[in-house]
Amino acid sequence: MIGRLNHLAIAVPDLAAASAQYRGVLGAEVSEPLDQPEHGVTVVFVSLPNTKIELLHPLGEASPIAKFLERSPAGGIHHICYEVDDILAARARLQAEGARVLGDGEPKIGAHGKPVLFLHPKDFCGTLIELEQA
Ligand code: CO
């Protein structure tokens, strides 16, 4: 059911430092920071030949990234995003298998303007999974 790896998201305590490291030390193509207030994050996109890395930094008071950085002050892998062809069909299959969809269970428009869902990390090897309709 799952398709391509769309992106891997890394929470970072210092977005400018992380951008400079990916651009300078790792030689990657790195975007300018983009505020996404509806998701409580500022994002920098790192473009790789086969996927993307998203560097996430908290934006605003209720950011979901703030708690993560409290627990992991140096930053760390926050979630992994797989593409699916049909997000409602994917949700139906996952719920039938007993997997928990986070929030109210309805797809939201994600960072790339496409519908996304998040799956409970306890159901997937301790990894927060985002599904994005391709
Ligand atoms: Co994501």
Side-chain angles (χ1 to χ4, degrees), residues 6-9 54 56 79-81 111-112 116 118 130 132:
N6 184 276
H7 62 270
L8 191 85
E54 293 182 3
L56 303 179
H79 67 267
I80 179 165
C81 177
H112 313 109
V116 302
F118 285 89
E130 179 180 17
E132 180 176 298

Side-chain angles (χ1 to χ4, degrees), residues 64-75:
I65 303 303
K67 274 204 174 64
F68 183 94
L69 286 174
E70 270 171 34
R71 290 192 303 270
S72 304

